[in-house]
Amino acid sequence: SGIQLMGSAFLSRVQGQDLSYPAYADTPSGGVAHGLDFEKSYGGIVSASFGEFQLSAVETVRQKGIPTAAYGTQFDHLAETTDRHSFLELRYKTELASDLVLSARAYTAYYGYKALWPYESTLFEGSTDNWWGGEVQARWDPAPSNRLTAGVEYRQDTRADYHLFDATGGSSFDRPFHVFSAYLQDEYQVTPTVAITGSLRYDRYSTGQSHASPRLALVWDATPRSTFKLLYGNAFRVPSVYEAYSANRTLKPEEINTIEASWQQKLSEGLLLSVSVHQSDLRNLIDEAPDPDAVFGITYENRGSARTRGIEFEMTARLSRSLSGYLSFADQSTVNTEHDPGNTGSLGLTNSPARTAKAGLSLPLARG
């Protein structure tokens, strides 16, 4: 009939390990979190396409135990968070001419969060976000060596609330907003071996924040077996509804500038080596600070900056027609540059991994 259908579902349950915290040895739990590191999740995606139309729906739920007695709570099975995400999208794509493609999409989504915090009186925390939006994009090839992509997007968050309460009462608020975005990208093949891509995206929020994000990429196929890439990017994160509501002054968006150089070398028919070096500079990082006059006793400020530098090696191999694998190693350093302007590394961030190694192997269990 010309209709194509696709469906996928997953279910996961992780018991987690028992964790010991010597600093809490004198508490009633003895500093041991028994069976608190659990996680349960499930979800699925369905998609149907017919002609130039495609309809997609996604649903995921994740329930996670909190085994660390976070925020001064107790070691208790009640301590957990639950996230739920639902998404529905209708997409249309048509070829107006051999060098002009038009696409459009409309979507609606839901995100829900809730958490239980076991104090002497259990504290309930929750948030709900409903939104809808649409995007129109045009792709035009003015020449065989040049491709332009332009688009606009509008998103309306009809509900963006937060609530926190216990048996004695609490507080809540709802801050709906909307955002308008426009972008332009140019892909230009300078020579048969050199390509340049440049783009700019502008986002403006009804809450007053706006940001322009440039991207630039240079790709050089030095030889049939060697490719060099030089990449630059800028991205941002506006304050969340909770951060903006809890702040005692206007917050700026967090911002990151990234630059990366990579070399890919085909060593043999099934063996590829990649080496990349990168640096990321983050500024206007949003962090909390105590404020006895604030609603929840804390406020948020732009008070941080950081820099990450690193190098990564990766080897991918197709060992046979059905057997493939990869091996990678990354070494990096992330420091707080606000308090370490000399970049000595003495103020490294503890929640950033210094070294990461990965390996993988893929093979069929049986024919088909």
Side-chain angles (χ1 to χ4, degrees):
S1 62
I3 298 177
Q4 298 186 41
L5 300 174
M6 185 275 291
S8 177
F10 75 90
L11 174 66
S12 173
R13 182 167 182 171
V14 181
Q15 181 176 345
Q17 60 182 330
D18 294 339
L19 302 173
S20 178
Y21 304 92
Y24 292 89
D26 57 351
T27 64
S29 67
V32 179
H34 292 286
L36 304 184
D37 193 24
F38 64 89
E39 179 178 336
K40 305 171 186 176
S41 60
Y42 62 89
I45 177 173
V46 292
S47 176
S49 60
F50 179 76
E52 298 171 330
F53 292 89
Q54 181 177 13
L55 182 66
S56 302
V58 178
E59 172 84 6
T60 63
V61 178
R62 177 177 180 261
Q63 180 184 8
K64 180 69 182 73
I66 304 173
T68 58
Y71 303 110
T73 57
Q74 306 170 29
F75 291 101
D76 195 301
H77 281 84
L78 286 176
E80 64 176 44
T81 62
T82 302
D83 296 273
R84 180 175 181 177
H85 186 204
S86 306
F87 185 74
L88 180 66
E89 178 188 76
L90 177 63
R91 184 180 292 268
Y92 172 78
K93 185 177 181 180
T94 184
E95 189 173 301
L96 301 178
S98 59
D99 57 356
L100 182 60
V101 176
L102 180 68
S103 61
R105 67 187 185 105
Y107 56 85
T108 182
Y110 162 86
Y111 172 75
Y113 161 82
K114 62 181 180 179
L116 291 175
W117 304 100
Y119 295 97
E120 291 185 2
S121 176
T122 301
L123 190 67
F124 176 84
E125 181 186 31
S127 179
T128 302
D129 193 5
N130 294 322
W131 70 92
W132 59 267
E135 179 182 7
V136 178
Q137 182 187 102
R139 193 188 73 199
W140 176 45
D141 298 334
S145 60
N146 196 16
R147 169 167 290 180
L148 293 172
T149 304
V152 293
E153 181 178 1
Y154 177 82
R155 166 176 162 165
Q156 173 73 58
D157 285 56
T158 56
R159 180 180 178 184
D161 67 20
Y162 177 83
H163 37 272
L164 184 74
F165 61 87
D166 60 13
T168 63
S171 180
S172 64
F173 60 84
D174 187 11
R175 295 290 187 273
F177 65 94
H178 62 266
V179 57
F180 172 79
S181 308
Y183 56 88
L184 175 66
Q185 176 175 283
D186 188 4
E187 302 169 72
Y188 183 57
Q189 193 74 36
V190 183
T191 71
T193 60
V194 177
I196 296 178
T197 301
S199 68
L200 180 67
R201 180 184 175 101
Y202 177 76
D203 298 271
R204 181 167 184 82
Y205 290 74
S206 60
T207 50
Q209 294 98 349
S210 61
H211 193 84
S213 306
R215 304 283 176 93
L216 187 64
L218 170 67
V219 179
W220 174 38
D221 293 319
T223 72
R225 290 174 170 264
S226 306
T227 300
F228 174 78
K229 297 180 182 181
L230 186 62
L231 311 170
Y232 166 79
N234 174 277
F236 72 101
R237 183 184 78 86
V238 298
S240 68
V241 174
Y242 174 73
E243 290 168 338
Y245 179 78
S246 303
N248 58 14
R249 59 176 61 87
T250 302
L251 289 174
K252 300 176 183 178
E254 293 183 334
E255 191 172 351
I256 183 173
N257 286 309
T258 62
I259 186 167
E260 178 181 358
S262 71
W263 184 271
Q264 294 178 322
Q265 182 68 43
K266 191 175 182 181
L267 302 178
S268 65
E269 189 58 35
L271 200 60
L272 180 67
L273 172 66
S274 301
V275 182
S276 65
V277 293
H278 59 85
Q279 176 175 303
S280 300
D281 288 288
L282 301 97
R283 60 179 178 272
N284 295 329
L285 294 179
I286 299 172
D287 201 359
E288 62 182 40
D291 184 356
D293 297 328
V295 176
F296 300 122
I298 59 172
T299 186
Y300 284 87
E301 301 175 348
N302 295 108
R303 54 184 299 187
S305 60
R307 169 172 288 175
T308 294
R309 287 174 173 168
I311 184 170
E312 182 171 356
F313 304 87
E314 182 176 33
M315 183 83 73
T316 58
R318 179 162 293 281
L319 306 175
S320 68
R321 187 175 179 180
S322 58
L323 181 63
S324 62
Y326 70 90
L327 180 67
S328 70
F329 175 78
D331 184 276
Q332 70 177 23
S333 171
T334 304
V335 297
N336 185 328
T337 52
E338 181 183 30
H339 302 292
D340 186 19
N343 206 27
T344 62
S346 59
L347 292 176
L349 301 186
T350 57
N351 61 347
S352 177
R355 283 165 294 279
T356 307
K358 298 179 182 180
L361 195 64
S362 175
L363 73 161
L365 298 179
R367 177 174 295 181

